[in-house]
């Protein structure tokens, strides 16, 4: 099998491995950085335009609030049952105490008669519609509030380091979750550090990744989803590998050996055969590809196209004696010869006449058939299965007339005739080819449905039945007059024959007999006339005298006129067979 290689200067396999290792190291460094800075988020959720996160990181109250502010947030304010329900969700299965955003200002004592007991939220507000104090202790030292797994509020020194803290983030608009699709799974990632597939509301800057397509969308500050790539400064523009600003527009770049998917953000390994131009089959081979051909084909010299093998010409197929080898695309087969059919493992003659292909007569022959016409008909020059009646006059009624949709008639005419429409019907009128001056080189004789070319004295008709060529005759050979040309009926092919040995009708035969009788009477008259004149010459010679000499001048002129008698009418080439018979005329002597 011939193959073709496409060389590549890049070691794509090595580069792909390097890219995967680099991505793994980068992810590990990012996780380590979050842990060091205390930004590791265990979970989070959003309710309408407010988002909440829980962090497992031991910090004092102030340090915890500072950590929340790095993402433009603050410690959680639980001012409603809705916020309390969100905190309940985050605290499920948690142990230990977590800071919330409630503290007693320095120099102020607790007042158990009001809802917040003199405490203020880290936002500076004192209003609330909800509280859940654990005890009724009073103090005048600076205190902060924490919650435990039972969600009760407990006062404690602000310098204590607890198990973690809860953050709150407020946005003008958030993005709703994408419509669910049974064929896709969607993973949401937020800039707050938490992700999930069942989130109902997403903060701006969040991304949604659809699997398995890898399609990504981005939640904008307007609260709608944008297709990637977007600003390269935000989540790498949504690009899987690298985001670059090209002409002030973000564009995703893939590593060598990979290409962007249709979503313009994800990368996929380049299918080397996708750029190959193999006609049949492309097979990846390392960093190249091979072009291969299917059975029955050879690889062309260009290494891409496939050339069919002619098994018949190469002698690779042996058929029975009554079969022939037929080449097919990519293969070959043995079939019966034309005019034969397969019957019980043998090639039997096919009787084409059984389907009546001929208008008149059909004769089945071995491997073929022959059409012929009844007497007085000839085969159509264009369709040898069809027969047309012959015309032996200057005009005949048209044949095969059929009415059209517009009330006009569609008729056929014989060869050498043209259709003439009259008030009393449709007729086929003989075409006088001789008047056109283009059918014969020298002389032309028109006949019904045909014409005959002939030449001047000293010339003979050429094999093309049009040109005249000089005759090679010796001086005094006696060749005079015009050389006639007898039109011969063209013999049809073996598949198309005309029944009957001659087309001579009874009328033509009667005409020939009458002509012979007339010619015989003319000859008898001439002989009698000559004998009578000779007698007059003998009598007149006795009256001559020496003084009165009388001269009698006699002049005899003989001409030959060829009368054309049509014997055969050529149905195909518009020529007929003519016999030219000479008739002698004698002019009387002039005294």
């Amino acid at each position: 099998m011939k193959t073709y290689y496409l060389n590549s200067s890049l070691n794509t396999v090595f580069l792909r491995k390097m890219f995967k290792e680099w991505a793994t190291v980068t992810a590990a460094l990012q996780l380590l950085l979050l842990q060091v800075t205390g930004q590791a988020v265990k979970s989070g959720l959003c309710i309408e335009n407010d988002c909440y996160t829980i962090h497992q990181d031991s910090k004092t109250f102030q340090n915890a609030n500072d950590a929340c502010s790095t993402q433009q947030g603050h410690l959680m304010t639980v001012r409603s049952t809705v916020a309390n329900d969100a905190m309940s969700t985050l605290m499920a299965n948690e142990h230990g105490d977590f800071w919330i955003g409630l503290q007693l200002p320095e120099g102020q004592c607790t007042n158990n008669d009001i809802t917040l007991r003199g405490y203020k939220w880290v936002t500076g507000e004192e209003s609330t519609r909800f509280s859940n104090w654990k005890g009724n202790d009073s103090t005048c030292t600076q205190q902060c509030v924490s919650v435990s797994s039972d969600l009760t509020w407990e006062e404690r020194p602000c310098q204590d380091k607890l198990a973690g803290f809860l953050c709150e983030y407020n946005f003008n608009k958030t993005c709703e979750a994408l419509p669910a699709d049974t064929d896709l799974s969607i993973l949401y990632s937020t800039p707050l550090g938490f992700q999930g597939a069942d989130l109902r509301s997403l903060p701006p800057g969040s991304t949604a990744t659809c699997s398995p397509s890898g399609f990504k969308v981005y939640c904008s500050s307007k609260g709608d989803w944008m297709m990637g790539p977007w600003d390269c400064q935000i989540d790498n523009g949504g690009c899987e590998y690298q985001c670059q600003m090209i002409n002030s527009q973000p564009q995703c770049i893939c590593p060598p050996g990979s290409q962007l998917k249709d979503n313009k953000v994800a990368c996929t390994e380049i299918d080397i055969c996708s750029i190959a131009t193999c006609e049949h089959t492309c097979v990846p081979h390392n960093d190249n590809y091979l072009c291969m051909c299917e059975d029955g084909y050879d690889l062309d010299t260009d290494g891409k196209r496939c050339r069919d093998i002619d098994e018949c010409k190469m002698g690779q197929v042996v058929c029975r004696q009554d079969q022939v080898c037929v080449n097919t695309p990519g293969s070959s087969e043995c079939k019966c010869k034309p005019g034969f059919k397969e019957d019980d493992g043998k090639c039997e003659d096919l009787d084409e006449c059984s389907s009546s292909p001929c208008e008149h007569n059909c004769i089945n022959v071995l491997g073929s058939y022959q059409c012929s016409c009844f007497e007085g008909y000839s085969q159509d020059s264009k369709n040898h299965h069809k027969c047309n009646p012959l015309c032996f006059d200057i005009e005949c009624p048209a044949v095969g007339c059929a009415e059209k949709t517009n009330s006009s008639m569609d008729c056929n005419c014989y060869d050498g005739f043209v259709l003439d429409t009259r008030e009393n019907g449709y007729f086929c009128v003989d075409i006088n080819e001789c008047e056109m001056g283009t059918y014969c080189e020298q002389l032309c004789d028109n006949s019904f449905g045909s014409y005959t070319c002939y030449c001047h004295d000293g010339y003979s008709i050429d094999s093309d039945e049009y040109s005249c060529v000089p005759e090679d005759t010796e001086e005094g050979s006696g060749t005079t007059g015009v050389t006639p040309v007898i039109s011969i009926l063209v013999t049809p092919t073996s598949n198309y024959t005309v029944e009957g040995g001659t087309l001579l009708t009874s009328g033509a035969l009667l005409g020939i007999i009458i002509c012979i009788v007339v010619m015989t009477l003319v000859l008898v008259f001439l002989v009698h006339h000559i004998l009578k004149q000779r007698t007059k010459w003998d009598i007149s010679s006795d009256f001559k005298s020496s003084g009165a000499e009388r001269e009698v001048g006699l002049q005899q002129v003989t001409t030959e006129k060829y009368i054309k008698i049509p014997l055969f009418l050529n149905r195909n080439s518009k020529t007929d067979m003519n016999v030219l018979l000479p008739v002698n005329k004698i002019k009387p002597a002039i005294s």
Side-chain angles (χ1 to χ4, degrees), residues 186-190 194-199 202:
I186 304 175
L187 177 64
Y188 298 99
S189 299
T190 69
F194 66 92
Q195 59 183 12
D198 56 351
L199 302 179
L202 286 304

Side-chain angles (χ1 to χ4, degrees), residues 10-308:
L10 298 175
N11 191 333
T12 56
V13 175
F14 172 76
L15 290 174
R16 291 187 195 117
K17 291 181 179 179
M18 290 293 295
F19 169 67
K20 291 179 180 178
E21 293 177 358
W22 174 85
T24 302
V25 172
T26 302
L29 289 175
Q30 290 176 344
L31 180 60
L32 179 61
L33 181 61
L34 287 173
Q35 292 175 346
V36 171
T37 57
Q39 298 300 310
V41 178
K42 186 173 183 180
S43 62
L45 59 85
C46 294
I47 300 176
E48 295 183 350
N49 293 337
D50 299 321
C51 295
Y52 308 97
T53 59
I54 184 170
H55 301 255
Q56 284 186 332
D57 190 13
S58 179
K59 288 183 179 295
T60 63
F61 180 88
Q62 187 59 46
N63 289 340
N65 192 54
D66 292 341
C68 293
S69 64
T70 58
Q71 292 287 343
Q72 308 301 318
H74 51 77
L75 286 173
M76 183 176 181
T77 60
V78 190
R79 290 178 286 181
S80 65
T81 56
V82 174
N84 188 68
D85 291 340
M87 185 173 61
S88 174
T89 302
L90 296 175
M91 291 290 293
N93 302 321
E94 293 293 339
H95 301 283
D97 298 318
F98 290 79
W99 290 117
I100 62 172
L102 190 61
Q103 64 180 348
L104 183 65
E106 186 177 359
Q108 187 173 338
C109 297
T110 57
N111 182 3
N112 294 333
D113 295 333
I114 57 177
T115 305
L116 289 183
R117 297 183 179 182
Y119 284 76
K120 290 184 179 180
W121 300 110
V122 290
T123 58
E125 298 172 329
E126 298 181 15
S127 62
T128 185
R129 297 189 303 274
F130 176 82
S131 65
N132 191 21
W133 294 101
K134 187 174 183 180
N136 293 320
D137 298 338
S138 297
T139 182
C140 292
T141 60
Q142 188 177 14
Q143 297 285 310
C144 296
V145 178
S146 66
V147 296
S148 58
S149 57
D150 61 359
L151 304 183
T152 57
W153 298 1
E154 184 177 358
E155 303 165 280
R156 64 176 61 245
C158 297
Q159 300 302 319
D160 290 350
K161 289 185 177 182
L162 305 184
F165 53 92
L166 294 122
C167 294
E168 177 182 339
Y169 307 90
N170 308 115
F171 302 96
N172 293 327
K173 290 185 178 181
T174 56
C175 294
E176 294 183 359
L178 297 174
D181 192 330
T182 56
D183 297 330
L184 294 175
S185 61
I186 304 175
L187 177 64
Y188 298 99
S189 299
T190 69
L192 303 179
F194 66 92
Q195 59 183 12
D198 56 351
L199 302 179
R200 295 293 176 262
S201 183
L202 286 304
S206 300
T207 60
T209 304
C210 302
S211 297
S213 65
F215 178 74
K216 281 188 176 184
V217 289
Y218 171 75
C219 179
S220 69
S221 59
K222 297 179 180 180
D224 53 10
W225 293 101
M226 296 173 51
M227 291 189 298
W230 48 81
D231 188 353
C232 292
Q233 301 298 323
I234 303 174
D235 194 23
N236 195 34
C239 299
E240 179 181 340
Y241 176 64
Q242 185 179 357
C243 180
Q244 290 184 358
M245 298 298 293
I246 300 177
N247 296 328
S248 302
Q249 295 295 326
Q251 183 173 336
C252 294
I253 306 298
C254 290
S258 297
Q259 61 184 2
L260 282 174
K261 291 183 178 180
D262 294 337
N263 58 28
K264 303 301 181 183
V265 293
C267 297
T268 182
E269 292 185 1
I270 294 177
D271 181 7
I272 196 69
C273 285
S274 65
I275 60 175
T277 55
C278 300
E279 183 176 1
H280 281 185
T281 305
C282 174
V283 180
H285 181 72
N286 295 332
D287 297 336
N288 306 316
Y289 65 86
L290 312 175
C291 283
M292 295 185 178
C293 296
E294 299 173 359
D295 292 338
Y297 293 85
D298 272 340
L299 193 65
D300 207 350
T301 54
D302 62 1
K304 300 177 182 179
R305 293 179 296 178
C306 294
R307 183 177 60 252
D308 177 55

